[in-house]
């Protein structure tokens, strides 16, 4: 978000910080909770798997993943959101089953072929370089690993079928894409994709 008018939105949702970041985090926790849980259900992380959660925001999905997987790694560029994740997942952080770090989709800080699942909810529209991000996610996934991505359909940077083609160009296969309507009168339709790194 580049214009001066966009700065409050960026501080609340794009790169949350300060009071607006904390308000944005509370709104995300409420507005994204159903989608976060749905994406975890779609991904079906197993008890022996490592899951990378991109932009976990206030940690709703991260907590769901932590309850199901061996290790949940949350990567977010916002220190405000990482603090909210630390608070929400405090016991799992202490136990070492949740790890948090500053980073982006294009620079996760993960070793190559180190995760079984990558999850992204409502942040693909914020990625500065999707080509670099998809290359990074392909790199960190183990062969046979899967990516599940969800975003408000109206906020997608390109149509979901174009995102699918970008994932294919990055090496992903067995792509599926669909739309999902979260519960609630004010809910916004989500575009969702699932893709696999070939084994």
């Amino acid at each position: 978000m580049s214009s001066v008018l966009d700065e409050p939105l960026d501080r609340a949702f794009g790169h949350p910080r300060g009071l607006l970041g904390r308000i944005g985090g509370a709104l995300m926790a409420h507005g994204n909770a159903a989608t976060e849980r749905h994406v975890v259900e779609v991904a079906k992380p197993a008890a022996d798997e490592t899951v990378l959660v991109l932009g976990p925001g206030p940690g709703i999905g991260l907590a769901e993943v932590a309850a199901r997987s061996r290790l949940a790694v949350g990567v977010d560029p916002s220190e405000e959101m990482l603090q909210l994740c630390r608070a929400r997942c405090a016991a799992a952080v202490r136990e070492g089953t949740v790890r948090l770090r500053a980073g982006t989709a294009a620079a996760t800080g993960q070793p190559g072929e180190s995760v079984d699942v990558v999850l992204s909810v409502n942040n693909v529209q914020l990625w500065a370089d999707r080509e670099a991000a998809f290359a990074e996610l392909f790199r960190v996934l183990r062969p046979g690993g899967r990516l599940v991505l969800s975003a408000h359909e109206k906020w997608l940077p390109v149509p979901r079928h174009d995102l699918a083609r970008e994932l294919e160009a990055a090496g992903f296969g067995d792509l599926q894409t669909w739309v999902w309507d979260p519960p609630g009168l004010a809910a916004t339709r989500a575009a969702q994709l699932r893709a696999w790194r070939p084994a």
Side-chain angles (χ1 to χ4, degrees):
M1 299 183 184
S2 56
S3 77
V4 173
L5 291 177
D6 287 336
E7 177 64 15
L9 287 175
D10 186 52
R11 291 178 70 86
F13 301 108
H15 301 89
R17 54 203 184 274
L19 176 60
L20 285 175
R22 290 189 291 278
I23 292 170
L27 291 172
M28 283 186 268
H30 175 72
N32 288 346
T35 302
E36 297 268 1
R37 293 184 178 107
H38 175 73
V39 164
V40 174
E41 283 296 323
V42 169
K44 294 180 173 47
D48 62 346
E49 290 187 315
T50 296
V51 183
L52 173 63
V53 182
L54 298 170
I60 301 285
L62 188 70
E64 291 283 320
V65 166
R68 296 171 178 233
S69 63
R70 182 183 67 81
L71 175 64
V73 180
V75 173
D76 201 297
S78 167
E79 183 55 38
E80 299 278 352
M81 294 301 102
L82 292 172
Q83 287 177 12
L84 289 175
C85 287
R86 284 186 196 100
R88 185 176 300 276
C89 302
V93 169
R94 284 193 302 273
E95 293 164 4
T97 56
V98 166
R99 295 181 190 158
L100 297 163
R101 74 167 64 96
T104 66
T108 65
Q110 278 294 118
E113 299 185 6
S114 63
V115 302
D116 303 286
V117 184
V118 174
L119 301 181
S120 167
V121 174
N122 291 334
N123 58 62
V124 68
Q125 71 275 11
L126 303 171
W127 299 354
D129 185 339
R130 287 194 310 280
E131 183 178 357
F134 289 147
E136 169 72 352
L137 303 182
F138 188 89
R139 182 188 71 80
V140 303
L141 273 170
R142 294 187 176 106
R146 58 210 181 273
L147 162 72
V148 180
L149 183 152
S150 179
H152 295 301
E153 190 172 40
K154 67 179 181 180
W155 292 346
L156 281 178
V158 296
R160 63 188 166 93
H161 295 292
D162 289 345
L163 279 180
R165 281 188 280 274
E166 291 176 9
L167 283 164
E168 285 181 321
F172 287 91
D174 194 19
L175 271 88
Q176 301 158 320
T177 179
W178 65 94
V179 294
W180 182 70
D181 292 310
L185 295 176
T188 303
R189 172 168 284 188
Q192 302 188 327
L193 296 92
R194 178 169 45 201
W196 300 75
R197 175 170 172 169

